[in-house]
């Protein structure tokens, strides 16, 4: 099963495709790990361009499931306004193709990350997917982990 892990931020959208099983996951090489939104003055136009891009990406990579790290609540207010919109765009593109979507809360991600070694036999995600090297960009790790969580056990 090919699972697309998605972590959206104000800097861009981190994407990771994983396949295999939870015990033996593998990371699919992608040309780019982070997709920036178009630098348009109009947010709606930038989101529409991203929608077309992610729709084509789902088709090209033959993604069978999407797992999205849900926007958490910030300390001084709600989630950043753009992030939930990006998440919704990904959900719409997946739904249009009848691809199931799983939303993963930040708390669930951190809780499951602690169980990674027991589940895979690897010390940590960096060891399993990145030859022990830190993930670059750093927040790409969340896209990888959320994709791993999306793999059916």
């Amino acid at each position: 099963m090919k699972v697309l892990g998605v972590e959206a931020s104000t800097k861009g959208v981190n994407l990771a495709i994983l396949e295999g099983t939870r015990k033996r996951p593998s990371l699919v090489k992608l040309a780019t790990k982070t997709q920036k939104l178009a630098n348009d003055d109009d947010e709606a136009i930038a989101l529409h361009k991203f929608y077309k891009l992610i729709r084509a990406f789902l088709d090209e990579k033959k993604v069978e499931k999407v797992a999205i790290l849900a926007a958490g609540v910030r300390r001084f207010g709600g989630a950043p306004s753009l992030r939930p919109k990006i998440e919704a765009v990904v959900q719409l593109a997946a739904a249009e193709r009848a691809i199931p979507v799983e939303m993963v809360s930040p708390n669930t991600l951190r809780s499951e990350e602690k169980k990674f070694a027991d589940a895979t036999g690897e010390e940590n995600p960096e060891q399993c997917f990145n030859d022990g090297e830190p993930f670059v960009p750093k927040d790409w790790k969340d896209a990888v982990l959320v994709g791993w969580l999306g793999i059916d056990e």
Side-chain angles (χ1 to χ4, degrees), residues 8-131:
S9 71
T10 54
K11 298 174 192 163
V13 182
N14 292 306
L15 305 170
I17 295 181
L18 284 91
E19 53 188 6
T21 65
R22 278 268 191 96
K23 288 185 178 194
R24 298 237 183 261
S26 65
L27 189 59
V28 175
K29 289 252 187 224
L30 298 176
T32 183
K33 300 171 190 171
T34 303
Q35 181 60 52
K36 305 264 187 216
L37 260 62
N39 196 9
D40 280 306
D41 290 333
D42 188 340
E43 185 178 271
I45 291 172
L47 286 167
H48 188 256
K49 287 178 182 177
F50 178 68
Y51 171 75
K52 290 193 284 187
L53 185 137
I54 200 73
R55 201 174 58 187
F57 183 83
L58 291 171
D59 289 341
E60 176 188 326
K61 300 299 181 186
K62 298 183 180 10
V63 171
E64 298 168 85
K65 184 176 180 180
V66 175
I68 302 171
L69 181 59
V73 177
R74 294 187 330 201
R75 187 173 172 191
F76 300 108
S81 64
L82 186 59
R83 186 170 172 181
K85 293 174 189 177
I86 293 169
E87 293 169 7
V89 165
V90 175
Q91 286 179 304
L92 287 170
E96 186 178 63
R97 278 142 179 74
I99 298 171
V101 175
E102 179 180 350
M103 298 298 291
V104 177
S105 75
N107 289 343
T108 299
L109 183 71
R110 295 298 159 232
S111 171
E112 291 297 318
E113 181 180 5
K114 293 174 184 171
K115 302 173 189 173
F116 187 85
D118 290 337
T120 63
E122 295 283 348
E123 187 178 327
N124 55 44
E126 290 83 354
Q127 196 69 39
C128 183
F129 301 115
N130 212 32
D131 297 326

Side-chain angles (χ1 to χ4, degrees), residues 124-145:
N124 55 44
E126 290 83 354
Q127 196 69 39
C128 183
F129 301 115
N130 212 32
D131 297 326
E133 296 296 319
F135 287 103
V136 176
K138 186 178 177 182
D139 53 0
W140 184 57
K141 177 180 179 179
D142 288 344
V144 172
L145 282 171

